[in-house]
Amino acid sequence: MIYEVKNLNFSYNKKNSVLNDINLQFNEGELLCVLGKNGSGKSTLFKCLLGLLKQYDGEILLNNKEIKRLKEKDIAQIVGYVPQNNESTFDFTVYEYVLMGLASNVSMFSHPSIEDEKKVLTVLKEMDLINLSQRKFNELSGGEKQQVSIARAIVKQPKVILFDEPTAHLDYSNQIKVLKKIKELSNKGYAIAITTHDPNHAILLDGKVALFDENGHIKQGARKELITEDNLKIIYGTDLKIRYLEEFKRDVCIYPAL
């Protein structure tokens, strides 16, 4: 297993638990969609998986090694991360921004190699972003920034990529582009975990699902088993309906008329 989480518990203030007895796992080529309402613990879980929060009880194994014992550089070489908000403090070009994705491979006081620069150009070409390479990252649209952030995450060829609300603030067109890229990366063998509020994203990606309830517990299983009307009502506290559309040959999640 790439990631294996055993009996994970986490609290920020020692009073109110955010994560309660979390058990989940995913491997190369698997796609895990983590759903839950705001404040349910999705982002906190990812911070634990990234080794950013270490004051937890239980175990988080990355390649069979407890993540608390790994250096940040070791984690960064295995795990790529795409946050929901992408802004750069400095005025980097797209090329420079993606090149920084290789920082964990470059030793202190060294410079990126010619091979590193070739990797960046290769990824930008593969993602059809080469025409943006000299544009300023902070001047891009939200959809373009998310595509570039994915390029930055995969340029070092990690084994796993964590996407935290990758379609937040994006229009429908860009949401679909990002979801297609995530599915494509999964098909290429990457282990993928993505957080989202939208059950339709889990349906479209059609991988494993982990459902957060309001008490910080998780259920994990196949999409068809867990994305049910009863489970969605428990999670979101509202009536959502699952309907099969013959036209698209798939389920959709809809809300009844207001």
Side-chain angles (χ1 to χ4, degrees):
M1 285 292 162
I2 295 292
Y3 266 115
E4 188 169 9
V5 179
K6 300 179 180 179
N7 306 315
L8 176 65
N9 294 276
F10 179 85
S11 173
Y12 286 103
N13 57 18
K14 301 299 182 182
K15 294 181 180 179
N16 300 315
S17 295
V18 179
L19 305 177
N20 284 299
D21 198 27
I22 302 295
N23 291 277
L24 61 83
Q25 54 186 241
F26 56 100
N27 210 349
E28 292 178 68
E30 292 184 337
L31 201 162
L32 176 67
C33 196
V34 184
L35 282 87
K37 65 181 183 180
N38 289 334
S40 59
K42 302 186 302 297
S43 293
T44 298
L45 172 63
F46 271 26
K47 289 176 182 177
C48 290
L49 293 177
L50 289 164
L52 300 178
L53 297 176
K54 297 185 177 181
Q55 63 272 31
Y56 57 79
D57 295 321
E59 291 182 282
I60 300 177
L61 303 179
L62 178 60
N63 272 353
N64 296 314
K65 296 180 180 178
E66 169 56 54
I67 204 165
K68 286 181 180 179
R69 301 191 183 99
L70 296 175
K71 297 179 180 178
E72 290 183 7
K73 182 176 181 179
D74 296 330
I75 297 171
Q77 289 177 338
I78 301 171
V79 184
Y81 176 57
V82 180
Q84 60 177 287
N85 295 313
N86 300 291
E87 296 294 338
S88 175
T89 305
F90 302 99
D91 204 18
F92 292 116
T93 65
V94 166
Y95 175 86
E96 291 167 335
Y97 188 79
V98 175
L99 182 62
M100 287 190 296
L102 293 168
S104 62
N105 297 339
V106 180
S107 59
M108 190 175 294
F109 307 119
S110 297
H111 296 282
S113 65
I114 293 176
E115 188 63 32
D116 290 333
E117 294 175 355
K118 287 180 179 179
K119 289 179 181 178
V120 173
L121 292 175
T122 297
V123 168
L124 290 175
K125 288 177 182 177
E126 287 178 351
M127 294 197 60
D128 198 24
L129 296 171
I130 196 69
N131 61 314
L132 300 180
S133 61
Q134 296 308 311
R135 289 270 305 277
K136 299 297 184 182
F137 178 78
N138 285 334
E139 295 175 359
L140 301 179
S141 69
E144 289 170 334
K145 284 181 178 178
Q146 200 65 299
Q147 294 284 335
V148 171
S149 294
I150 294 173
R152 173 172 161 156
I154 66 176
V155 70
K156 61 186 174 183
Q157 298 180 318
K159 291 187 176 182
V160 56
I161 309 173
L162 305 181
F163 292 86
D164 192 8
E165 295 283 353
T167 60
H169 317 302
L170 298 185
D171 59 39
Y172 279 114
S173 174
N174 282 306
Q175 285 186 37
I176 296 302
K177 286 180 182 178
V178 170
L179 292 174
K180 282 183 176 179
K181 177 53 66 174
I182 290 172
K183 187 70 172 179
E184 178 185 321
L185 292 171
S186 174
N187 290 337
K188 287 183 176 180
Y190 290 96
I192 303 288
I194 166 180
T195 63
T196 181
H197 298 293
D198 192 340
N200 282 303
H201 294 169
I203 292 171
L204 283 167
L205 293 171
D206 199 26
K208 289 184 176 181
V209 170
L211 301 181
F212 260 106
D213 66 19
E214 61 183 5
N215 297 313
H217 296 97
I218 271 185
K219 289 181 181 179
Q220 183 181 356
R223 190 272 300 177
K224 289 186 178 181
E225 295 175 358
L226 292 187
I227 302 297
T228 66
E229 293 177 0
D230 288 342
N231 282 339
L232 294 179
K233 186 171 184 177
I234 291 171
I235 293 172
Y236 297 109
T238 191
D239 288 316
L240 295 170
K241 303 299 181 185
I242 303 295
R243 295 292 182 266
Y244 181 80
L245 288 186
E246 181 64 32
E247 180 180 0
F248 300 122
K249 306 295 183 185
R250 68 173 178 87
D251 292 333
V252 295
C253 179
I254 57 176
Y255 190 80
L258 298 177

